[in-house]
C-alpha cells in the first residue's frame, strides 16, 4: 500500500482533477451524520470488516483521500469492496517497510471507509479514493488470506456544545493556520482555500487539517486516538503552530540567503541554511562538534602531556568560527589526536601450542621464522612486557614472507596492518607533513595505527629494500627512528607533533635483496632468511594449500580432482623455475581452468591428474633438469651453484689445444669473480705442477680453454674454485674424474679451501641430478647439521681443507680412453 503524498501541493490536486474529475468531493465537507448513517447502522456496534493496511498515512472520519494500491492483497480487497459496495477498515501500519503486516504490526485505532472510486493512472499504478466514516478499534484479525479481515468496535466522537467559545476559537485558529500553510505554497489552490473558509462543519475541519498536516504518521495516529473533538483540536493546534513556525523559519532562511546562485554556490547556500537553523534552535555547529570531541576525550586513557596538548588545541578550535578556513584544518587535527588508540592494547594469546598450530596450518616449512615468533611469545608470557623486536624476513619472491604476517597476527591475537614501501620516495609518507602545508596529514605509520585501533598491532613493512629517495627526502632514513626499539617509544610525527609510543608494535619487514638496504637500517633489524622452498616442500605446499585453494576459487567440488605426487613433482621440475610457489600456483590454476571448462561443457573429467596429462593442460615442457653426464671425458667436472630459484648443478669443462704461447680463454658468460677463480686455479696448478705430475713445458706449448655451458645465463661467485682446479688438473693429466661426484668451495692462492653459502639448495640440486658423493669445505659441515636428515639420505660427504685433498679424492689414476698425449 503506498500513499499519495503532497496533499497541500497544487500539482497533487491538478493530477487528481485531470484523472478522476472529483476534486470537490475530496476537499469539501461530507455530512457524516446523515450521508453515512445507513451504512453504519448495518454494521452495528461490533462488526467484522476487511482491513486495509496503509503505509505512512492516517485516514480521518469525513475526509476523502487518494491512496495508491501496491500490494496484491490490498488490490483484491478494494476490488471486492467495489464489487459488493461493502465498507472496509483503513488502519495505519506501525512500520512503513513491513510488507505483510499482522495484528502486532498495525495500530489499534482506524477508520471505517468507503471505496469511492478506483482508477488506473497513466504511470501504470492504481489509485483509489477512500471516504472516511467513523473511528473504530481493531480487536483481532479473523482472516489473513486472501486479504485481512478483522473484528472491530465502533467508536464515537464527542463534539463540544456549539456555545463553547473556547472550542469555537480553536476551530477558527485551526482554519486560519491551515489556510496560511496552504497559502505558503508557490501556487496555492484557490478553490481549496475558498472551500475551507466557507465550511461550517467543525468535525470535518478538524479532521481535514489533522489528515493533511505535514507531520509524521505516528503524530497523526495520536490525533486519531483522541475521541473528544476539543482535545483533538487542542493537540492539533500545537502541531500546526510548530509546523507553521518551521515554514516561517524556512522562509526567513531563504530571505536571508536569497541571491542568484550557480552550481558552485549551491553548497555554500545549504551551509548557510544549516547555520541559520542551528542559530534559531539556540545551538551552534561548532559547539556540537566540540562537545562530541570532548566526550571522546573523556574516555581516553592517555598521558598527561597528550591531554594537555589536546585541551590546548580544542580551546583554539572553540575560538574559530565554523566558516573560517582554519576551522576544518583545526577540526581534522583535533580528530586525529582523539582517534588514535593511546595506550590501548589488544591482549596477547599466550597459548604456545595454539600459536604453533596457526603457523603450521598456514605455512609449510619456515622453521626459523616460526621458532622466532614462538620464542617472542614465550618471553612475553614470562615477563609480561618487553620491547617488540624488529624482524626482517629476506628471501626470494613468492616464499610467503608477506602472508606470514597475517598468521603471526592471528597467532598473537593482534590486529594486522600492512603498508607497501615499494617505490616510496617521500619522507613525509613516513613522518607526515607539517600542519602549515595545505592538505597536510599524518604519516602512513600513524594512519595505520589509527586504522588498527590498538597500539600493539603486527605491522608489516613490505618491500623495505625498494625504498627510493629524491629531492623530497630519504624515507629509509626516516625509518631509522621507527625501527629502533630504543627510540620508537617516542616516535615524532610532523603532523601530530606529539610523541607516540611504537615500542609495543611488532614490526615485520620483508625484503628480497639486503644489498639495497642501508647499513644503519640493517643494523636495527633482526635478519631471518626465508630461503627458497626445495622440491619436496613445494610438493607438500601444492598438495595441502595450492590445490584446495584453486579448486575452491574455480568452483570445483572438494575432492573431485586429485593430483598424483609425481604429477606435482613434474610441474615443479619442468614447468616452473622459482624459489617460491607463485608460478606453481599459476600452473595449478591453469589446469583448474581447463578442468572447469570441461565440467561446464559436460565433458568427462579424469578424477586423477597424471604426469602424462600435463602436456594437454600446460603444453610443452619449458625447463629441463641437468643430469649427471658421466666421466668419459677428461676435464669435465660437476660443480654446484646457487641461484635465486634454488640450487643447480653446472659443468666446468676444460680443454687443451697446441699453440705457440700459453693462452687462457674463458667462456660461458662468467662474472668477474668467477673469471678470477679460473685464473687463480691455473696459477695454482702452474706453481704446483710437480705435485700433480704435470710437465712444466705444457704451460708454454698448450692453450687452455675453460667453458661453463649455458652461455646465455650469467654466472658469478667464488664457489666454483675447487671445481675449476679439478677440471684443469684432469685436462693436464688426462685422468678420469670419479663417477657421481660434485663439489663446491672457494680456493686461495695457497691452495686452501674456503666455505661457501647456499649449501642446502646445492645439496638438493645434487640429489635431484643423481649425484652420490659431495666434496665440501670442512667449515661447511655445520650447515649440514641444519638440514633435515630425510634430505641427506643416499649422499656421502667429504670435507676437505686443501685443494690437494680434492684432487687426490676426485681424480682416478686411470686415464681416459683417448688421451691427448
Amino acid at each position: 500500500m503506498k500513499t499519495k503524498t503532497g496533499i497541500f501541493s497544487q500539482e497533487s490536486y491538478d493530477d487528481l482533477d485531470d484523472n478522476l474529475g472529483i476534486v470537490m468531493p475530496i476537499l469539501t465537507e461530507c455530512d457524516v451524520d446523515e450521508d453515512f448513517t445507513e451504512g453504519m447502522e448495518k454494521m452495528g456496534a461490533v462488526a467484522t470488516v476487511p482491513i486495509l493496511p496503509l503505509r505512512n498515512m492516517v485516514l480521518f472520519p469525513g475526509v476523502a483521500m487518494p491512496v495508491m494500491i501496491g500490494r496484491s492483497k490490498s488490490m483484491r480487497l478494494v476490488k471486492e469492496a467495489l464489487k459488493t459496495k461493502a465498507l472496509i477498515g483503513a488502519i495505519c501500519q506501525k512500520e512503513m517497510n513491513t510488507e505483510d503486516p499482522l495484528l502486532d504490526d498495525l495500530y489499534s485505532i482506524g477508520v471505517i471507509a468507503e471505496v469511492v472510486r478506483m482508477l488506473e493512472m497513466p504511470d501504470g499504478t492504481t489509485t483509489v479514493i477512500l471516504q472516511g466514516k467513523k473511528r473504530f478499534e481493531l480487536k483481532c484479525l479473523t482472516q489473513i488470506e486472501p486479504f485481512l479481515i478483522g473484528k472491530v468496535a465502533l467508536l464515537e466522537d464527542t463534539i463540544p456544545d456549539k456555545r463553547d467559545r473556547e472550542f469555537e476559537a480553536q476551530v477558527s485558529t485551526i482554519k486560519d493556520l491551515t489556510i496560511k500553510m496552504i497559502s505558503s505554497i508557490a501556487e496555492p489552490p484557490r478553490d481549496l482555500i475558498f472551500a475551507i473558509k466557507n465550511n461550517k462543519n467543525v468535525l470535518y475541519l478538524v479532521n481535514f487539517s489533522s489528515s493533511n498536516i505535514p507531520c509524521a504518521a505516528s503524530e497523526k495516529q495520536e490525533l486519531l486516538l483522541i475521541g473528544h473533538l476539543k482535545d483533538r483540536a487542542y493537540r492539533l493546534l500545537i502541531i500546526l503552530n510548530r509546523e507553521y513556525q518551521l515554514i516561517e523559519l524556512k522562509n526567513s532562511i531563504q530571505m536571508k540567503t536569497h541571491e542568484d546562485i550557480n552550481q558552485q554556490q549551491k553548497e555554500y547556500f545549504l551551509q548557510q541554511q544549516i547555520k541559520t537553523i542551528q542559530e534559531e534552535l539556540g545551538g551552534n555547529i561548532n559547539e556540537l562538534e566540540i562537545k562530541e570531541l570532548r566526550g571522546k576525550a573523556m574516555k581516553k586513557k592517555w598521558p598527561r602531556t597528550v591531554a594537555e596538548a589536546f585541551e590546548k588545541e580544542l580551546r583554539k578550535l572553540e575560538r574559530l568560527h565554523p566558516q573560517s578556513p582554519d576551522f576544518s584544518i583545526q577540526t581534522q587535527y583535533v580528530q586525529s589526536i582523539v582517534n588514535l588508540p593511546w595506550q590501548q592494547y589488544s591482549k596477547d594469546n599466550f597459548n604456545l601450542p595454539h600459536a604453533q598450530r596457526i603457523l603450521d596450518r598456514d605455512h609449510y616449512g619456515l622453521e626459523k621464522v616460526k621458532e622466532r615468533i614462538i620464542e617472542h611469545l614465550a618471553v612475553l608470557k614470562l615477563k609480561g612486557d618487553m620491547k617488540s623486536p624488529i624482524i626482517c624476513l629476506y628471501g626470494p619472491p613468492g616464499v610467503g614472507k608477506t602472508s606470514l604476517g597475517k598468521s603471526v597476527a592471528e597467532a598473537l591475537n593482534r590486529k594486522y596492518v600492512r603498508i607497501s614501501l615499494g617505490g616510496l620516495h617521500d619522507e613525509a609518507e613516513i613522518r607526515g607533513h607539517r600542519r602549515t602545508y595545505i592538505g597536510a596529514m599524518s604519516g602512513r605509520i600513524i594512519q595505520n595505527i589509527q586504522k588498527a585501533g590498538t597500539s600493539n598491532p603486527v605491522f608489516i613493512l613490505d618491500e623495505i629494500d625498494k625504498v627510493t629517495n629524491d629531492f623530497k627526502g630519504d624515507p629509509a632514513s626516516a625509518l631509522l627512528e621507527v625501527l629502533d626499539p630504543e627510540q620508537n617509544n617516542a616516535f615524532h610525527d610532523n603532523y601530530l607533533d606529539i610523541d607516540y609510543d611504537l615500542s609495543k608494535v611488532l614490526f615485520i619487514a620483508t625484503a628480497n635483496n639486503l644489498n639495497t638496504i642501508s647499513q644503519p637500517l640493517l643494523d636495527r633489524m633482526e635478519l631471518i632468511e626465508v630461503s627458497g622452498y626445495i622440491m619436496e616442500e613445494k610438493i607438500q605446499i601444492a598438495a595441502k594449500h595450492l590445490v584446495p585453494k584453486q579448486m575452491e576459487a574455480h568452483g570445483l567440488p572438494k575432492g573431485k580432482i586429485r593430483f598424483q605426487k609425481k604429477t606435482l613433482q613434474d610441474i615443479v621440475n619442468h614447468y616452473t623455475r622459482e624459489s617460491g610457489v607463485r608460478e606453481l600456483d599459476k600452473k595449478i590454476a591453469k589446469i583448474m581452468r581447463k578442468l572447469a571448462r570441461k565440467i561446464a561443457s559436460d565433458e568427462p573429467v579424469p578424477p586423477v591428474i597424471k604426469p602424462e596429462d600435463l602436456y594437454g593442460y600446460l603444453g610443452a615442457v619449458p625447463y629441463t633438469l641437468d643430469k649427471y653426464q658421466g666421466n668419459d671425458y677428461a676435464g669435465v667436472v660437476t660443480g654446484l651453484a646457487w641461484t635465486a630459484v634454488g640450487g643447480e648443478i653446472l659443468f666446468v669443462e676444460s680443454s687443451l689445444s697446441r699453440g705457440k704461447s700459453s693462452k687462457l680463454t674463458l667462456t660461458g658468460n662468467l662474472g668477474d669473480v668467477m673469471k678470477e677463480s679460473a685464473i687463480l686455479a691455473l696459477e695454482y696448478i702452474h706453481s704446483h705442477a710437480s705435485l700433480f705430475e704435470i710437465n712444466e713445458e705444457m704451460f708454454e706449448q698448450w692453450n687452455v680453454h675453460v667453458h661453463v655451458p649455458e652461455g646465455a645465463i650469467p654466472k658469478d661467485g667464488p664457489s666454483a674454485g675447487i671445481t675449476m682446479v679439478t677440471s684443469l688438473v684432469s685436462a693436464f693429466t688426462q685422468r678420469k674424474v670419479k663417477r657421481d661426484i660434485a663439489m663446491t668451495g672457494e680456493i686461495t692462492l695457497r691452495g686452501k679451501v674456503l666455505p661457501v653459502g647456499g649449501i642446502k639448495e646445492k645439496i638438493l640440486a645434487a640429489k635431484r641430478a643423481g649425484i652420490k658423493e659431495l666434496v665440501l669445505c670442512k667449515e661447511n659441515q655445520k650447515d649440514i647439521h641444519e638440514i633435515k636428515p630425510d634430505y641427506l639420505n643416499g649422499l656421502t660427504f667429504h670435507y676437505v681443507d686443501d685443494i690437494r685433498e680434492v684432487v687426490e679424492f676426485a681424480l682416478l689414476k686411470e686415464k681416459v680412453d683417448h688421451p691427448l698425449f
Side-chain angles (χ1 to χ4, degrees), residues 356-401:
Q356 187 70 53
R357 284 195 300 271
I358 294 294
L359 295 173
D360 291 339
R361 179 198 69 189
D362 295 340
H363 292 83
Y364 187 85
L366 306 181
E367 302 302 333
K368 289 184 180 179
V369 186
K370 294 176 183 177
E371 182 181 358
R372 182 65 187 87
I373 298 302
I374 297 299
E375 289 172 356
H376 172 68
L377 195 57
V379 175
L380 275 177
K381 182 177 182 178
L382 296 178
K383 189 173 183 293
D385 184 26
M386 68 173 292
K387 290 181 179 178
S388 291
I390 313 298
I391 297 173
C392 179
L393 307 177
Y394 71 95
V399 295
K401 300 185 297 297

Side-chain angles (χ1 to χ4, degrees), residues 1 113 189 202 289 365 460 659:
M1 204 61 190
V202 292
E289 290 195 4
I460 304 298

Side-chain angles (χ1 to χ4, degrees), residues 449-570:
I449 291 291
Q450 181 177 324
K451 183 172 69 173
T454 63
S455 292
N456 64 335
V458 173
F459 204 123
I460 304 298
L461 300 172
D462 215 4
E463 311 291 357
I464 198 171
D465 56 325
K466 296 174 180 62
V467 175
T468 60
N469 57 14
D470 61 5
F471 64 93
K472 296 180 181 178
D474 184 6
S477 299
L479 285 170
L480 294 177
E481 182 186 6
V482 176
L483 300 182
D484 191 339
E486 299 299 326
Q487 298 180 33
N488 64 9
N489 60 342
F491 172 67
H492 187 83
D493 185 272
N494 290 330
Y495 177 78
L496 196 62
D497 206 23
I498 303 173
D499 289 343
Y500 193 85
D501 185 7
L502 297 177
S503 61
K504 303 295 189 299
V505 179
L506 178 57
F507 286 103
I508 300 180
T510 70
N512 299 127
N513 185 7
L514 298 182
N515 296 330
T516 58
I517 304 177
S518 65
Q519 190 59 41
L521 192 57
L522 273 178
D523 187 55
R524 283 164 167 78
M525 298 187 292
E526 180 179 342
L527 302 178
I528 299 178
E529 182 181 7
V530 185
S531 59
Y533 295 113
I534 60 176
M535 183 188 68
E536 288 79 1
E537 290 174 335
K538 288 182 180 181
I539 292 172
Q540 291 292 332
I541 292 170
K544 294 181 179 179
H545 299 283
L546 302 184
V547 171
K549 182 187 79 171
Q550 291 298 343
M551 287 183 68
E552 182 181 356
H554 291 81
L556 301 180
K558 187 177 181 180
K560 186 175 182 65
I561 305 298
R562 189 168 58 85
F563 283 74
Q564 290 184 352
K565 183 177 179 181
K566 183 65 169 62
T567 305
L568 295 174
Q569 182 176 337
D570 284 359

